[in-house]
Amino acid sequence: MELSLTGTSAPLTAEACAAADGADPLARFRDEFILPEGVIYLDGNSLGARPASAAGVAARVLEQEWGEGLIRSWNSAGWFELPGRLGDKLAGLLGAGPGQVVVTDTTSLNLFKALAAAVELQRSADPARTIILTERDNFPTDIYIAEGIAGFLGQGYSVRLIDDSLPLEAALGGDVAVVALSHVNYRTGAMWDMAATTAAIHDAGALAVWDLAHSAGAVPVDLAGSDADFAVGCTYKYLNGGPGSPAFLWANPRHHAAARQPLSGWWGHAKPFAMEDSFAPAEGIGKFLCGTQPILSLAVAECGLDIALAASSELVREKSLVLTDLFITLVEARQGSHPLELITPRDHARRGSHVSYVHPEGYSVMQALIARGVIGDYREPGVLRFGVTPLYVGRLDVFNAVEALFDILDNRLWDTEEFRTRLQVT
Ligand SMILES: *Cc1c(COP(=O)(O)O)cnc(C)c1O
């Protein structure tokens, strides 16, 4: 079995993988992260690994900025500027410009703000558009938030779900106000063509809101080039921001003046410290802030952003595809009669940065993998997810992970009471 690992054909052996890792221009980034000995971490699409620099930054914020600076640090340590300053950094990874992104709140909250703003822009343009269109297959929070907005608005607003029986083109009627899609599907890893899809949405008179949770830091994103309207996403996944680190929100500058969002808290006010008795939105992206930000989490999130910015995003994408190709090829070579079904697209243009398989005993298989230090995750129904973060995962990791997977499958090592027991977080 032959596979191109370095541009030349190499046999699929541990030695070949190790040799290719040795020549990998991104290999040096592995040292920027702390990972426990003996762990192969294939869940950076759910919670990224910890940057080595995070401990020092957290200590600085706790001891100097909070401990010594106290409230003065809002000014002297730049706390107040963090959402916009980090947003400007992140913009470089999203095909966006300065002053267009804020790092704040959660993805769910930012989606609420972006969807509400988009719906309201449409309501003034064409009140007959009352549908928020999203995917049945979407990450549940995206559907739930859309339902929450439609329910709150009442007046005929509702959510329409696209699926195999109702594809996007068929669902895009003259009643659609906004389309909210996840660029990379959390379950299958399937990726939309953002530019072409946004164009189709605009042709139908709707606005396009993109969720980049599984895209930012992993796949090329060109918000400006795609002419999208709004985008949101996580920093704790491929951007390695830390557990629960603040999410981001981008608004196309053409909407900055007219857009309004309903979480009109004082941080989004034009003059927060004027303490006025009525809300007047900040100009620009600042109007999407709401209240006081989690400064420790924001400060630590910058560590992951800085690493992502130091790496070439072209190389990250190239290596991500090499690793997911390698995973798929190795599984095929060993698959035999095991009921493992690849649900991730083989087409590079349609693939994000994780590989997923359905297996009838998926939950137990993943528990058995995790017990031996190969950490992926499980999503209903029956889905084993393996995420590759090219900054700290190599070919040998993928090789060893697939070896472990087939040791578990070939020997039914998943088939124990322990591995069947469901944990709270899968
Ligand atoms: C991970 C993920 C989220 C998470 O939202 P939170 O508000 O951070 O919990 C939202 N949408 C998608 C598509 C995701 O993959």
Side-chain angles (χ1 to χ4, degrees):
M1 173 123 256
E2 304 266 308
L3 177 83
S4 171
L5 291 173
T6 55
T8 58
S9 253
L12 287 182
T13 61
E15 294 69 33
C17 289
D21 282 344
D24 172 5
L26 293 178
R28 68 186 178 88
F29 286 99
R30 172 70 185 73
D31 293 338
E32 307 261 352
F33 295 92
I34 306 288
L35 281 162
E37 201 61 41
V39 161
I40 296 177
Y41 196 59
L42 302 179
D43 211 4
N45 54 322
S46 202
L47 174 63
R50 170 161 91 75
S53 55
V57 169
R60 186 195 76 214
V61 176
L62 283 173
E63 289 163 17
Q64 292 162 31
E65 297 180 9
W66 183 14
E68 301 289 326
L70 291 165
I71 198 158
R72 294 169 291 191
S73 289
W74 284 108
N75 292 308
S76 61
W79 285 356
F80 197 69
E81 309 295 330
L82 270 173
R85 195 166 64 73
L86 298 198
D88 285 352
K89 283 194 172 186
L90 180 54
L93 294 171
L94 304 178
Q100 299 176 10
V101 179
V102 276
V103 177
T104 183
D105 297 334
T106 65
T107 300
S108 302
L109 278 168
N110 288 338
L111 188 62
F112 179 88
K113 292 182 278 186
L115 276 181
V119 166
E120 183 161 315
L121 284 168
Q122 290 286 67
R123 183 155 58 175
S124 34
D126 181 357
R129 292 181 178 271
T130 54
I131 299 292
I132 302 174
L133 193 64
T134 185
E135 308 160 89
R136 192 176 302 282
D137 228 15
N138 208 338
F139 189 84
T141 207
D142 296 47
I143 301 175
Y144 304 161
I145 291 286
E147 286 176 342
I149 291 177
F152 184 70
L153 285 169
Q155 303 167 10
Y157 278 88
S158 66
V159 175
R160 180 180 296 160
L161 298 178
I162 60 172
D163 55 23
D164 288 345
S165 66
L166 182 68
L168 179 64
E169 313 79 66
L172 269 175
D175 54 354
V176 175
V178 181
V179 181
L181 299 174
S182 289
H183 182 221
V184 174
N185 185 276
Y186 80 104
R187 209 188 262 124
T188 63
M191 183 164 72
W192 288 93
D193 177 335
M194 188 186 287
T197 309
T198 301
I201 292 167
H202 286 169
D203 283 349
L207 296 180
V209 178
W210 289 97
D211 187 330
L212 306 177
H214 285 267
S215 308
V219 302
V221 175
D222 186 2
L223 287 169
S226 301
D227 198 34
D229 295 289
F230 296 90
V232 300
C234 304
T235 64
Y236 55 77
K237 293 177 177 169
Y238 291 104
L239 291 170
N240 307 301
S245 62
F248 61 86
L249 185 153
W250 170 83
N252 190 309
R254 71 166 163 267
H255 296 312
H256 284 193
R260 284 159 42 94
Q261 62 94 0
L263 298 182
S264 45
W266 70 309
W267 274 53
H269 194 281
K271 291 180 280 179
F273 286 91
M275 300 295 176
E276 290 171 357
D277 63 7
S278 177
F279 186 75
E283 275 182 34
I285 197 69
K287 65 171 61 165
F288 284 92
L289 295 176
C290 181
T292 307
Q293 299 300 306
I295 296 302
L296 255 172
S297 291
L298 268 174
V300 167
E302 188 167 16
C303 301
L305 276 182
D306 284 340
I307 301 172
L309 286 165
S312 144
S313 39
E314 288 76 30
L315 285 180
V316 166
R317 174 59 171 164
E318 197 182 304
K319 184 175 170 189
S320 159
L321 289 171
V322 165
L323 294 180
T324 49
D325 273 348
L326 177 62
F327 202 109
I328 292 169
T329 309
L330 287 168
V331 168
E332 256 168 13
R334 301 278 304 265
Q335 165 128 22
S337 58
H338 290 298
L340 262 187
E341 184 202 344
L342 176 70
I343 57 169
T344 301
R346 288 169 188 274
D347 177 1
H348 284 181
R350 294 199 50 234
R351 189 193 307 161
S353 197
H354 69 267
V355 194
S356 298
Y357 293 87
V358 173
H359 186 282
E361 300 293 339
Y363 183 79
S364 306
V365 172
M366 184 51 74
Q367 289 307 306
L369 275 167
I370 292 171
R372 63 159 71 189
V374 178
I375 304 182
D377 64 17
Y378 173 81
R379 288 290 177 267
E380 292 293 346
V383 178
L384 296 157
R385 272 198 323 184
F386 301 97
V388 298
T389 301
L391 297 178
Y392 53 75
V393 174
R395 284 114 168 137
L396 187 57
D397 296 321
V398 169
F399 185 90
N400 288 331
V402 174
E403 289 288 299
L405 173 63
F406 281 96
D407 185 34
I408 287 164
L409 292 176
D410 292 344
N411 300 301
R412 291 181 69 91
L413 301 180
W414 51 266
D415 196 4
T416 70
E417 211 39 55
E418 181 198 351
F419 295 146
R420 263 190 291 274
T421 307
R422 293 281 168 138
L423 299 171
Q424 197 176 16
V425 175
T426 63

